[in-house]
Amino acid sequence: MSNNPRTPLEAVDDPQAVSDAFTSGAFKTAVYGLGKMGLPLASVFADVTGAVIGADIDGTVVETVNNGQSHVTGEPGLDPLVAKTVNNGSLNATTDLGAAAETAQIHVVIVPTLITDDGTPDLSIVDSVTETIGHGLSDGDLVIIESTVPPRTCTERVLPTIANASGLDESAFGIAFCPERTKSGRAIKDIRRSWPKIVGGVSEEAGVAAETLYQSITENEVIRVSDATTAESVKVFEGVHRDVNIALANELATYTEALGINVREAIAAANTQDECDILRPGPGVGGHCIPYYPYFLFQQFDAESPLLRTARSVNDDMPAHVVGLLADRLADREIAISDANILLLGLTYRPGVAEIRASPSISISETLTTLGSDVSIVDPLLETYDAFSGTPIEMDELYDRSYDGIVIATPHEEFAAIDWNRFDSAVVVDTHGTADTVVSKHAYEPLAGVAVSAETLRERSSIREVVDAP
């Protein structure tokens, strides 16, 4: 083979030559979707290759990127990387996805996949983007899907869509899947080194080509699995694993009252045995990933999946459990939930990340207001609160009123500064067991890294009652 490969698929014959062409910018890469994971990915590709087109239908996003700025917040290293790659010409953005497809030889799709109201995976954005790519595709191009999709999507959906749009034979181009394995707040690190990259091709040629390319952008291992369906399954299995194990932890946490123990303390002690790895209980499961991935299996394939369905139900029910627990504690004091003033602390789905998709706090706030509670909501990371029920307040307004109950739904670091002595008459429902690091932090030391029990907390602080449960 020539040292100047014409297409990415020629990696089968000479991977080093294709790698050289990729890293030198001889092959132009288009990244479709410049969202919270797409922009970091495009920036890393641009830093390595010097020739990336970022394609997104949002004109504001495109304009921001072309100005050398990042619209994605809370990602260490992203702002300077975007500025660097845009300023040196390695990255430019466009709203013209068709033009990007005609220009590039490597096409990386990282757009949202959602769930409809009836639980069906919604791949309409993937369909639209891949059809657009097909219209601009050339013989020998490689298309890589990073969006999380149900297994067999690349084979049964992406491949025929692109073939129909391009008019090319299915063997004339490559389709591969590389699951996005990144977390908000650490995207650059995760893309470059945190975990092995997983790749699988619809064809062997596509798999080898994808393996060759990702070896150039990661310092970690690249694992090429048997095919694209296996790679798709890896990502879904990762999310389902966490959903099921979180459900186990959440169900165990509901035994707090029956057993009369701090379940988190028992979990922490149990996990000192190598074969035990119980996750942390909480008020539910939020985010863009875990609550949705089970549907990519049990809504798409003919399998009963009783465990996956039960786990989803357990996690979906946790916000109601939190409200019920609060209502019971208030009733013990002869305070009706319908007459209660409630403070809901933390609205994002996890600490330190300004994202609210599927956040348990959405359901908690809605349930409380439906029951008649007067709910004040606060989150130091958010600027808008349209998804939540209640009255938004700022941190410096916390002490302007008294509360019958307080729910710590998301334990942001900022809450450690709260003067909990000002709320010494409130019932506090601590959904993440962070009482040792958040509630009355100034008043006592945590116990050897194990969540302080409600009894110990009452002894060490002026709070009358803290309920340590999800």
Side-chain angles (χ1 to χ4, degrees):
M1 173 182 165
S2 165
N3 287 331
N4 296 305
R6 294 175 298 106
T7 73
L9 292 190
E10 295 182 20
V12 170
D13 299 320
D14 193 344
Q16 186 58 55
V18 169
S19 178
D20 291 344
F22 174 62
T23 55
S24 69
F27 291 150
K28 188 174 286 292
T29 301
V31 176
Y32 303 85
L34 297 177
K36 66 186 185 70
M37 294 303 165
L39 183 58
L41 184 67
S43 302
V44 171
F45 268 106
D47 196 38
V48 171
T49 70
V52 169
I53 306 169
D56 198 288
I57 61 172
D58 189 326
T60 301
V61 167
V62 167
E63 181 180 3
T64 300
V65 172
N66 283 336
N67 286 333
Q69 299 174 333
S70 168
H71 67 97
V72 179
T73 60
E75 285 296 345
L78 181 59
D79 288 350
L81 188 58
V82 171
K84 171 189 172 183
T85 52
V86 170
N87 291 336
N88 67 20
S90 299
L91 173 64
N92 66 85
T94 181
T95 57
D96 191 341
L97 276 63
E102 293 175 358
T103 303
Q105 293 78 46
I106 299 164
H107 311 265
V108 183
V109 178
I110 183 165
V111 296
T113 52
L114 305 175
I115 297 293
T116 63
D117 291 341
D118 65 358
T120 303
D122 180 1
L123 301 181
S124 57
I125 302 176
V126 172
D127 290 340
S128 175
V129 171
T130 52
E131 183 176 6
T132 299
I133 292 172
H135 289 303
L137 201 75
S138 297
D139 195 337
D141 280 6
L142 175 66
V143 180
I144 302 171
I145 306 298
E146 282 215 14
S147 304
T148 304
V149 294
R152 302 199 62 80
T153 294
C154 282
T155 301
E156 297 181 353
R157 198 159 185 153
V158 175
L159 181 63
T161 294
I162 292 180
N164 290 336
S166 66
L168 296 171
D169 186 84
E170 291 184 353
S171 63
F173 56 91
I175 304 291
F177 185 82
C178 176
E180 165 262 308
R181 307 179 93 189
T182 56
K183 292 182 179 180
S184 296
R186 48 180 291 170
I188 299 294
K189 175 184 176 182
D190 289 348
I191 291 167
R192 290 192 155 173
R193 67 183 65 89
S194 293
W195 296 288
K197 291 289 185 185
I198 309 298
V199 299
V202 171
S203 64
E204 181 180 0
E205 292 83 1
V208 171
E211 179 184 19
T212 300
L213 302 185
Y214 280 98
Q215 283 173 339
S216 301
I217 71 166
T218 182
E219 300 169 19
N220 211 314
E221 182 183 6
V222 177
I223 300 173
R224 178 162 60 90
V225 295
S226 299
D227 51 36
T229 302
T230 303
E232 292 164 334
S233 300
V234 168
K235 177 64 175 180
V236 175
F237 287 3
E238 288 173 353
V240 167
H241 166 266
R242 286 190 58 79
D243 197 39
V244 170
N245 281 276
I246 292 171
L248 170 62
N250 284 340
E251 190 158 290
L252 290 176
T254 65
Y255 278 82
T256 296
E257 296 294 303
L259 297 175
I261 66 171
N262 179 350
V263 168
R264 287 186 177 82
E265 181 182 2
I267 289 174
N271 284 346
T272 60
Q273 207 266 10
D274 287 346
E275 294 182 359
C276 186
D277 188 19
I278 304 171
L279 300 181
R280 296 184 299 274
V285 178
H288 298 255
C289 305
I290 297 173
Y292 302 106
Y293 293 171
Y295 296 99
F296 288 4
L297 292 177
F298 59 63
Q299 289 289 79
Q300 297 294 102
F301 300 95
D302 186 18
E304 293 185 1
S305 303
L307 179 60
L308 305 189
R309 294 177 185 273
T310 299
R312 229 11 0 255
S313 178
V314 168
N315 289 332
D316 282 344
D317 287 345
M318 294 315 294
H321 177 76
V322 170
V323 175
L325 190 60
L326 176 62
D328 289 345
R329 287 295 177 269
L330 291 173
D332 291 343
R333 300 182 179 188
E334 299 184 351
I335 301 173
I337 191 73
S338 58
D339 298 326
N341 292 325
I342 307 298
L343 174 63
L344 178 58
L345 290 172
L347 306 177
T348 64
Y349 83 90
R350 69 183 177 92
V353 175
E355 296 177 7
I356 65 170
R357 182 174 294 176
S359 171
S361 290
I362 297 174
S363 181
I364 292 172
S365 66
E366 289 177 349
T367 303
L368 285 170
T369 54
T370 298
L371 291 173
S373 299
D374 186 348
V375 182
S376 299
I377 56 178
V378 59
D379 194 295
L381 303 187
L382 297 182
E383 297 180 357
T384 60
Y385 303 87
D386 293 345
F388 304 91
S389 299
T391 303
I393 62 174
E394 300 295 329
M395 288 283 290
D396 58 8
E397 299 177 286
L398 287 177
Y399 312 116
D400 291 348
R401 65 184 304 181
S402 61
Y403 302 99
D404 301 302
I406 300 175
V407 178
I408 307 173
T410 309
H412 292 304
E413 289 183 2
E414 290 84 351
F415 297 154
I418 293 175
D419 181 1
W420 288 95
N421 291 320
R422 303 281 290 273
F423 306 119
D424 60 0
S425 64
V427 172
V428 179
V429 178
D430 183 11
T431 70
H432 286 276
T434 53
D436 56 325
T437 58
V438 175
V439 180
S440 232
K441 183 176 181 180
H442 62 284
Y444 63 90
E445 295 295 324
L447 301 178
V450 178
V452 176
S453 68
E455 180 180 0
T456 301
L457 183 59
R458 287 196 296 273
E459 292 173 352
R460 295 189 177 201
S461 76
S462 59
I463 294 176
R464 289 177 53 191
E465 181 173 11
V466 172
V467 182
D468 179 23

